[in-house]
């Protein structure tokens, strides 16, 4: 009852503000429709900050101000609303949103995050700030697989925060790592933000996914580098783990070999296979362990061979000389030689009344000579063509590009180090990663690879991801009717919010353009005679400031239609601008006072963790986001190299 009273009070205040503003503007003779558009934009921001539902605020404001622009013509106003809503409903790109969201909820219900965090924690035990680094990596992987910021921050708050607090970590450091890592899902593909931006700006979602991959990895890498540096400079903020916390317990059969944690695993397993083993250990168990040992090497060789075939494949360009039917080739016409008719092909019928050979007449010597010359010329023309075809089939393979050699040199070095230091303890950690980390990575790479390499559209890949999440939950015995019902309900709820928001954005944008607000803003921006750099700085500062009171969904649907028309004038690529915006909009979850990830974490944190401590921990990571934006602007190829490589 109290909430209902507060809601009605808010609606009353908002209605009073709107009616007062409209009455004030109508009493001024010099007010134009453009000023009404700016008033509508301001009132929408105020209403959202007061807590009104964003989608219905956009629709309501759009209808009211469209009615004023059409001089109180209700019919035309409703027609515009229906057209704007129908345009949003027919956008095929939005179909991918519920499918990706459904995949995320199913993966979340598979409860992989606990296994993933434990395996990452043990794998990085010797890294400075290992718990915070493991938290960031776990958040990045899990946020990429789910894309649901609230779920990742909440789960990691329940799992990682108590662990870091018991290990003596600083509360701001622990809170900052969880909140920053949980937000990576809105940037790293598959991301709902990129789908919404692509639908709003008319940019290919496929290219956005390819472009956002390396900036997202760069941002995660900067977070990890910050944690490691601070753990070195301030050991009290992130103390190293004790020997007991780094201990890995071996299975009973492994201990019966006999073997200990520090023993070199491949050599001991091979000795056991030759007969120097305990009788209690079955041969099948040893063979399974050896299969796990050689698995990384086999995958490396398979990946190297398949990618080598792809990057060195010869480029054969076939040329077709297409001529209109009935027209002779230039070579034939110039030499006066006609092409011999193809056997079984269509031929010109004899022209009535034309000169023809009399029946039974023998061919003259001249005709015989002409026929012989024609056959010789035909053979001469065919020989170069045959030689050209043979040359194209035996064309040499092109050399592998530099990036391939560098990438596989680094990957090969990692594989070599893996085998060089593969103790039984590390083998057990690798087995834990096989059951937690690699299934998620395979799911993510399958979805992203099918999109980026053009094997499937984003919608088709989202359907594959939803099926993959379904199978993953079933494989971990987490799939039941309750999980499916809850996932479907949450998917419908989230998708309805996003799609109604997009409908509201379409109505608001149509009303804003009708009132001339967009034209007024464009004239104002162009009148400042900004350079490209100044425009980019101004736009990113505005988006950064908007990230404080507003969420990323509201910024995309309200303000992107205002910025997009200006990009062409300043020569800014909408794809590159979208990558900058995606990096910048991380601040919508990390910037006080409306930092949603902070409130997600506070809801599950112990009472001793205050909101101010969470805010203090988030601020360094927000500074890292600004650094990432600067790096992307200075070196645009971080985001544009992969789309240009794949779609040039």
């Amino acid at each position: 009852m109290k909430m209902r009273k507060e809601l009605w009070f808010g609606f009353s205040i908002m209605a009073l503000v709107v009616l007062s503003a409209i009455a004030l503007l109508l009493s001024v003779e010099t007010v134009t429709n453009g000023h009404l558009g700016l008033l509508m934009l301001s009132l929408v921001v105020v209403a959202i900050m007061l807590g009104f539902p964003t989608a219905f605020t956009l629709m309501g404001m759009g209808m009211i101000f469209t009615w004023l622009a059409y001089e109180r013509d209700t019919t035309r106003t409703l027609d515009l609303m229906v057209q704007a809503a129908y345009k949003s409903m027919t956008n095929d790109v939005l179909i991918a949103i519920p499918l990706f969201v459904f995949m995320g909820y199913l993966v979340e219900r598979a409860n992989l995050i606990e296994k993933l965090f434990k395996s990452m924690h043990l794998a990085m035990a010797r890294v400075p700030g290992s718990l915070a680094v493991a938290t960031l990596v776990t958040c990045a992987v899990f946020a990429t697989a789910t894309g649901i910021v609230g779920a990742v921050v909440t789960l990691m708050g329940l799992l990682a925060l108590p662990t870091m607090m018991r290990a003596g970590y600083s509360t701001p450091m622990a809170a900052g790592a969880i909140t920053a890592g949980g937000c990576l899902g809105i940037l790293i593909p598959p991301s709902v933000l990129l789908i919404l931006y692509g639908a709003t700006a008319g940019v290919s979602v496929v290219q956005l996914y390819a472009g956002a991959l390396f900036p997202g990895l760069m941002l995660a890498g900067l977070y990890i580098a910050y944690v490691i540096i601070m753990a070195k400079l301030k050991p009290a903020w992130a103390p190293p783990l004790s020997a007991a916390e780094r201990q890995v317990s071996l299975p009973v059969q492994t201990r019966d070999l006999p073997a200990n944690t520090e023993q070199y695993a491949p050599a001991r397993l091979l000795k056991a296979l030759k007969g120097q083993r305990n009788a209690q250990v079955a041969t099948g168990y040893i063979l399974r362990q050896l299969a796990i040992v050689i698995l990384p090497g086999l995958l490396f060789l398979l990946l190297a061979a398949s990618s080598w075939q792809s990057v060195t494949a010869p480029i054969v360009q076939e040329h077709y000389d297409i001529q209109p039917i009935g027209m002779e080739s230039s070579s034939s016409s110039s030499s006066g030689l006609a092409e011999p008719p193809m056997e079984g092909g269509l031929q010109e019928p004899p022209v009535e009344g034309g000169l023809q050979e009399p029946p039974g007449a023998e061919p003259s010597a001249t005709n015989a000579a002409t026929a012989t010359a024609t056959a010789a010329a035909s053979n001469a023309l065919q020989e170069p063509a045959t030689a050209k075809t043979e040359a194209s089939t035996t064309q040499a393979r092109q050399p592998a590009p530099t990036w391939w050699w560098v990438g596989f040199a680094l990957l090969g070095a990692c594989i070599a180090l893996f085998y060089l230091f593969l103790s039984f303890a590390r083998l057990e950690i690798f087995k834990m990663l096989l059951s937690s980390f690699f299934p998620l990575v395979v799911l993510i790479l399958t979805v992203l690879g099918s999109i980026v390499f053009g094997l499937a559209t984003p919608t088709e890949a989202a359907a594959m991801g939803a099926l993959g999440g379904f199978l993953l939950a079933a494989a971990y015995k987490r799939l039941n009717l309750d999980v499916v019902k809850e996932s479907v309900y949450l998917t419908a709820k989230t998708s309805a919010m996003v799609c109604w928001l997009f409908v509201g954005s379409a109505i608001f944008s149509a009303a804003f353009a009708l009132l001339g607000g967009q034209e007024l803003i464009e004239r104002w921006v162009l009148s400042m005679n900004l350079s490209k750099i100044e425009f980019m700085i101004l736009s990113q500062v505005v988006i950064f400031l908007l990230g404080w009171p507003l969420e990323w969904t509201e910024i995309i649907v309200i303000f992107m239609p205002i910025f997009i028309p200006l990009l062409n004038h300043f020569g800014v690529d909408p794809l590159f601008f979208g990558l900058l915006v995606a990096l910048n909009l991380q601040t919508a979850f990390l910037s006080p006072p409306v930092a949603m990830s902070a409130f997600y974490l506070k809801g599950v944190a112990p009472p001793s963790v205050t909101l101010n401590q969470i805010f203090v921990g988030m601020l360094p990571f927000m500074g890292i986001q600004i650094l990432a934006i600067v790096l992307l602007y200075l070196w645009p190829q971080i985001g544009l190299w992969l789309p240009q490589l794949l779609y040039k």
Side-chain angles (χ1 to χ4, degrees):
M1 180 65 72
K2 182 179 179 181
M3 183 178 295
R4 187 177 301 174
K5 288 182 179 179
E6 291 177 353
L7 188 62
W8 277 112
F9 177 74
F11 270 113
S12 302
I13 294 295
M14 192 64 209
L16 182 62
V17 171
V18 172
L19 293 176
S20 301
I22 293 175
L24 179 62
L25 283 175
L26 292 178
S27 65
V28 181
E29 296 181 356
T30 58
V31 172
T32 63
N33 281 347
H35 294 93
L36 285 176
L38 295 180
L39 174 65
M40 178 179 67
L41 179 63
S42 304
L43 291 177
V44 163
V45 175
V46 172
I48 293 172
M49 292 178 66
L50 288 176
F52 289 92
T54 305
F56 298 105
T57 300
L58 291 172
M59 285 187 280
M61 289 292 182
M63 291 185 67
I64 292 173
F65 282 87
T66 301
W67 181 70
L68 292 175
Y70 277 140
E71 298 179 353
R72 300 160 185 82
D73 189 339
T74 306
T75 303
R76 295 175 67 189
T77 300
L78 294 177
D79 286 343
L80 182 63
M81 300 305 106
V82 171
Q83 291 172 7
Y86 182 75
K87 180 182 177 183
S88 301
M89 292 166 60
T90 55
N91 194 328
D92 295 337
V93 177
L94 297 180
I95 301 175
I97 292 177
L99 293 171
F100 276 131
V101 172
F102 184 60
M103 177 188 78
Y105 280 118
L106 284 174
V107 170
E108 178 196 347
R109 296 304 182 274
N111 200 23
L112 282 173
I113 195 166
E114 184 174 356
K115 293 181 179 179
L116 181 60
F117 176 68
K118 186 176 181 181
S119 58
M120 286 293 175
H121 156 214
L122 292 173
M124 300 177 179
R126 299 184 183 277
V127 177
S130 57
L131 283 177
V133 172
T135 298
L136 286 169
V137 175
T138 304
C139 285
V141 175
F142 206 71
T144 304
T146 62
I148 307 165
V149 174
V152 177
V153 173
T154 301
L155 290 174
M156 291 303 294
L158 291 170
L159 183 64
L161 185 61
T163 304
M164 286 191 279
M165 299 293 288
R166 287 195 300 269
Y169 273 62
S170 165
T171 300
M173 171 69 79
I178 293 172
T179 52
C183 296
L184 289 171
I186 66 175
L187 171 63
I188 302 178
S191 165
V192 175
L193 181 149
L194 297 176
I195 297 176
L196 206 57
Y197 176 83
T200 303
V203 180
S204 169
V205 176
V206 176
Q207 296 190 27
L208 280 171
Y209 275 5
L213 182 60
F214 287 121
L217 296 177
M218 175 187 70
L219 184 60
L222 290 174
Y223 287 163
I224 293 172
Y226 165 75
V227 168
I228 293 175
I229 292 172
M230 295 310 297
K232 279 287 189 181
L233 297 178
K234 302 281 187 180
W237 290 10
L241 296 176
S242 63
E245 292 172 318
R246 296 198 302 265
Q247 186 67 32
V248 178
S249 59
L250 299 182
V252 177
Q253 289 179 299
T254 302
R255 293 200 301 267
D256 289 343
L257 284 175
N260 56 57
T261 55
E262 300 302 323
Q263 197 168 12
Y264 188 61
R268 185 69 190 91
L269 289 171
L270 288 174
K271 287 182 180 179
L273 192 62
K274 292 178 181 179
Q276 302 176 19
R277 62 180 177 84
N278 192 292
Q280 297 177 354
V281 182
T283 305
Y285 176 80
I286 300 175
L287 291 175
R288 287 194 298 272
Q289 302 306 304
L290 284 173
I292 295 174
V293 168
I294 66 175
L295 181 62
L298 288 177
L299 291 177
F300 172 76
L301 294 176
L302 179 63
L303 182 61
S306 59
S307 62
W308 171 267
Q309 293 291 331
S310 176
V311 300
T312 62
I315 302 176
V316 179
Q317 297 181 352
E318 298 183 358
H319 176 70
Y320 298 94
D321 189 10
I322 302 175
Q323 299 178 358
I325 297 175
M327 298 294 290
E328 296 180 350
S329 64
S330 59
S331 61
S332 298
S333 60
S334 61
S335 62
L337 300 177
E339 289 288 340
M342 295 178 62
E343 187 176 345
L346 296 176
Q347 304 179 18
E348 288 286 341
V351 182
E352 292 188 13
L355 295 176
Q356 303 178 18
E357 288 289 339
E362 295 292 334
S364 62
T366 306
N367 291 340
T370 304
T372 304
T374 302
S378 176
N379 293 333
L381 290 172
Q382 290 177 1
E383 287 177 1
T386 305
K388 181 179 179 181
T389 304
E390 293 175 354
S392 63
T393 56
T394 59
Q395 183 177 353
R397 304 184 73 88
Q398 59 178 343
T402 305
W403 62 265
W404 187 91
W405 289 108
V406 172
F408 272 88
L410 294 175
L411 187 58
C414 293
I415 296 295
L417 290 174
F418 171 79
Y419 283 113
L420 187 61
F421 299 102
L422 185 57
S423 63
F424 276 102
R426 292 189 175 92
L427 180 60
E428 291 304 313
I429 295 172
F430 179 68
K431 288 160 63 176
M432 294 173 64
L433 290 173
L434 276 179
S435 63
S436 59
F437 177 74
F438 289 104
L440 285 177
V441 171
V442 169
L443 177 63
I444 295 167
L445 292 180
T446 302
V447 173
L448 291 183
S450 60
I451 296 174
V452 171
F453 291 103
L455 302 178
T457 64
T459 302
E460 294 166 346
M464 292 169 49
L467 176 62
F470 201 89
L471 296 176
L472 203 59
Y476 286 89
K477 299 179 181 180
R478 298 280 180 174
L479 189 65
N480 53 51
L481 186 59
D482 291 336
V483 168
V484 174
K485 285 171 59 178
E486 187 177 0
S487 299
V488 169
Y489 169 73
L490 293 173
T491 299
K493 183 179 177 181
T494 305
S495 303
M497 181 270 293
V498 174
C499 293
W500 273 116
L501 191 64
F502 205 76
V503 170
S505 167
I507 294 174
F508 173 82
S509 300
F512 192 69
L514 179 67
L515 290 167
Q518 178 65 46
E519 183 182 357
L520 195 64
I521 290 178
E522 286 184 16
R523 287 206 308 266
W524 173 66
V525 173
L526 297 180
S527 67
M528 292 190 288
N529 294 323
L530 299 175
S531 64
K532 178 181 176 180
I533 297 177
E534 292 170 342
F535 168 75
M536 294 292 285
I537 294 174
L538 175 64
S539 61
Q540 296 305 315
V541 168
V542 170
I543 293 170
F544 179 81
L545 295 177
L546 289 172
W548 290 11
L550 303 176
E551 294 188 15
W552 65 264
T553 50
E554 298 157 354
I555 297 172
I556 288 287
V557 299
I558 298 174
F559 292 95
M560 284 306 102
I562 297 175
F563 284 112
I564 297 301
L566 294 168
L567 300 182
N568 194 24
H569 174 79
F570 290 99
V572 179
D573 184 2
L575 172 63
F576 179 62
F577 188 77
L579 300 179
L580 288 173
V581 169
L583 265 176
N584 202 342
L585 284 180
Q586 300 279 318
T587 58
F589 280 92
L590 288 180
S591 55
V594 191
M596 292 305 299
S597 58
F599 294 101
Y600 292 143
L601 182 59
K602 177 58 182 172
V604 296
S608 59
V609 178
T610 65
L611 200 59
N612 286 337
Q613 288 177 317
I614 298 175
F615 284 156
V616 169
M618 295 164 73
L619 290 177
F621 292 94
M622 196 167 69
I624 294 173
Q625 290 175 357
I626 299 174
L627 174 63
I629 295 172
V630 173
L631 292 176
L632 180 59
Y633 183 78
L634 294 177
W635 291 283
Q637 289 303 309
I638 297 174
L640 298 180
W641 174 76
L642 189 57
Q644 290 172 353
L645 176 69
L646 297 175
Y647 311 113
K648 59 184 177 181

